Amino acid sequence: MKPARIHRIPLGSGIAALSLVLAAGWALMPNGDRQDAVQWFADVCSGVARPMFSSAPAPAGSGADARPAISSKVLSCESLPNVPGKSVTTVLVDFPPLAYSPAHRHPGSVTAIILEGTIRSQLGGGPVGTYKSGETFFEPPRTLHLFAENPDPVRPAKLVAVFVTDESCGPLVLPPDAD
């Protein structure tokens, strides 16, 4: 019995065949779905307009504003009786797939605890950090938070942020140019 022969298809032929299948599918797609497909390709393939595979935030005007936004919900706010003039606020922050938060600051100290998924974050002057479920990071008051994002195109991420701020329990987010 002779061993089976393995036929290898050259890489160029495989790419050409895949391109033909994609082109045929494109031609058969209704017009509205074509726009969805273009957005999907941009989400997956673009490292320039979207920072999901880069080590820096998206450049201004690059389309990062088209990414999903984070959402937050204040869970509690309490005055700290042993620290006059200060309060502690606990916030649940949801990051849908590919969600992005641009540069900002917080008026007080923040400890973030990752509950699920992965969060990439960078504070001014520091490296990009990647944090997974069960990990934490700390932000000193008024530090420039260059960006935070969920780099996963499928799974959401979630964190709890614990703020220690002035007694008013807010504001919790400041513009990036606030000092």
Side-chain angles (χ1 to χ4, degrees), residues 18-64:
L18 179 60
S19 298
L20 183 60
V21 169
L22 290 173
W26 182 267
L28 296 172
M29 233 185 241
N31 203 20
D33 290 338
R34 287 182 185 176
Q35 291 174 351
D36 293 340
V38 168
Q39 185 61 50
W40 181 83
F41 280 113
D43 288 342
V44 171
C45 300
S46 176
V48 174
R50 305 194 188 279
M52 65 188 245
F53 297 117
S54 69
S55 62
S62 67

Side-chain angles (χ1 to χ4, degrees), residues 105 142 174-179:
R105 295 178 191 268
R142 297 193 171 287
L174 302 172
D177 56 359
D179 257 346

Side-chain angles (χ1 to χ4, degrees), residues 148-172:
E149 71 174 345
N150 174 359
D152 196 302
V154 177
R155 290 180 289 278
K158 188 178 293 194
L159 65 80
V160 167
V162 180
F163 296 81
V164 177
T165 61
D166 291 333
E167 195 164 356
S168 66
C169 294
L172 299 176

Side-chain angles (χ1 to χ4, degrees), residues 82-154:
N82 60 337
V83 187
K86 297 293 179 181
S87 63
V88 62
T89 304
T90 307
V91 178
L92 182 63
V93 184
D94 287 303
F95 288 77
L98 298 177
Y100 182 80
S101 174
H104 61 277
R105 295 178 191 268
H106 299 290
S109 299
V110 182
T111 298
I113 305 140
I114 313 308
L115 299 177
E116 89 183 47
T118 300
I119 303 291
R120 291 180 70 244
S121 178
Q122 184 177 23
L123 300 180
V128 174
T130 300
Y131 306 93
K132 297 184 182 297
S133 180
E135 296 180 330
T136 68
F137 63 89
F138 177 78
E139 296 180 45
R142 297 193 171 287
T143 298
L144 180 61
H145 192 169
L146 293 170
F147 77 98
E149 71 174 345
N150 174 359
D152 196 302
V154 177

